[in-house]
């Protein structure tokens, strides 16, 4: 019996919406941890959008209208220091499929290091989205899965490329705000 794999388009479509995020990050080198909560807004953006064009330009690529472009905005509060730190930002992700389950992700800025970065992605046989990004000195690996229609889980690991040591791990639970769903 063959299991039906979801495509990257289906995975992204399932992710569109407003999410409440609860994240625990463990920085192993310093034996510290951080807890944060966020509101995350994931939406499709038109491949002709100016922000998408800017990302393609950074990579010296022509706009690809077959690309899947999304915006992820967030508002986060962290307990990293005594005064809760509030942060907000936006990332543009552009998925360039090689086939229906794998390809490359372009982004306007890095997650681990503040440089533009591209990633390899793959939707596995369990319908988890795996994203692997090589930066100048680190490697970021992330797995995103749906535990139910309205609950996602993300696991990430950041490693030092030189010696493959684990620098940081994190786990995030995301719950969709179903009050904002449109009929």
């Amino acid at each position: 019996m063959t299991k039906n794999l979801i495509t990257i388009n289906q995975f992204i479509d399932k992710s569109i919406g407003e999410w409440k995020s609860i994240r625990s990050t463990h920085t192993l080198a310093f034996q510290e941890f951080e807890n944060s909560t966020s509101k995350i807004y994931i939406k499709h953006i038109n491949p002709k959008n100016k922000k998408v064009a800017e990302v393609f330009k950074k990579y010296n690529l022509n706009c690809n209208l077959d690309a899947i472009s999304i915006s992820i905005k967030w508002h986060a509060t962290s307990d990293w220091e005594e005064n809760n730190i509030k942060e907000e930002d936006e990332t543009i992700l552009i998925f360039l499929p090689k086939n229906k389950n794998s390809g490359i992700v372009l982004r306007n800025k890095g997650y681990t290091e503040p440089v533009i970065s591209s990633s390899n992605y793959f939707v596995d046989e369990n319908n988890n989205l795996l994203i692997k990004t090589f930066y100048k000195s680190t490697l970021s690996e992330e797995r995103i899965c749906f535990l139910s229609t309205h609950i996602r889980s993300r696991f990430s690991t950041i490693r030092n490329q030189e010696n493959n040591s684990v620098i940081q791990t994190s786990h995030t639970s995301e719950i969709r705000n179903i009050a904002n769903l449109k009929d």
Side-chain angles (χ1 to χ4, degrees):
M1 184 166 134
T2 305
K3 186 173 181 177
N4 289 335
L5 295 177
I6 67 169
T7 66
I8 189 61
N9 291 15
Q10 292 167 323
F11 192 95
I12 291 170
D13 286 346
K14 285 177 66 170
S15 299
I16 299 300
E18 179 184 323
W19 299 83
K20 179 174 182 179
S21 168
I22 303 165
R23 178 177 172 163
S24 178
T25 302
H26 303 255
T27 304
L28 303 176
F30 301 111
Q31 297 184 8
E32 295 180 335
F33 65 92
E34 170 190 17
N35 291 312
S36 60
T37 58
S38 305
K39 291 258 187 188
I40 300 172
Y41 307 89
I42 303 172
K43 69 178 187 173
H44 284 286
I45 53 177
N46 189 313
K48 295 180 182 178
N49 182 293
K50 178 182 171 187
K51 293 177 182 178
V52 173
E54 288 172 1
V55 174
F56 277 112
K57 186 176 179 181
K58 284 182 180 182
Y59 288 92
N60 294 317
L61 296 172
N62 293 324
C63 283
N64 180 341
L65 298 181
D66 293 328
I68 306 158
S69 306
I70 62 172
S71 163
I72 302 176
K73 290 184 182 181
W74 65 91
H75 305 279
T77 303
S78 168
D79 70 356
W80 186 250
E81 295 179 11
E82 284 184 30
N83 300 331
N84 287 345
I85 299 170
K86 294 185 187 269
E87 177 186 347
E88 57 183 67
D89 207 347
E90 177 183 23
T91 298
I92 304 298
L93 300 178
I94 303 171
F95 291 81
L96 300 171
K98 291 180 186 174
N99 57 49
K100 65 181 184 174
N101 298 97
S102 67
I104 296 171
V105 181
L106 305 178
R107 58 181 86 208
N108 62 328
K109 62 182 127 199
Y111 169 72
T112 302
E113 296 180 30
V115 295
I116 66 167
S117 62
S118 64
S119 308
N120 293 311
Y121 75 83
F122 177 73
V123 179
D124 71 10
E125 64 278 354
N126 294 315
N127 296 324
N128 298 310
L129 176 59
L130 308 169
I131 301 173
K132 192 174 205 176
T133 309
F134 289 91
Y135 293 96
K136 291 179 181 177
S137 61
T138 60
L139 163 66
S140 170
E141 297 173 291
E142 185 170 23
R143 179 171 60 104
I144 306 168
C145 61
F146 280 89
L147 303 177
S148 72
T149 303
H150 302 297
I151 299 175
R152 292 182 357 152
S153 184
R154 290 189 294 134
F155 300 92
S156 66
T157 305
I158 300 171
R159 296 177 182 272
N160 180 310
Q161 282 197 54
E162 187 176 314
N163 60 18
N164 203 35
S165 62
V166 176
I167 299 169
Q168 188 177 80
T169 63
S170 69
H171 174 256
T172 307
S173 296
E174 298 172 342
I175 303 164
R176 187 189 313 269
N177 181 349
I178 57 175
N180 286 345
L181 291 178
K182 296 177 183 173
D183 293 328

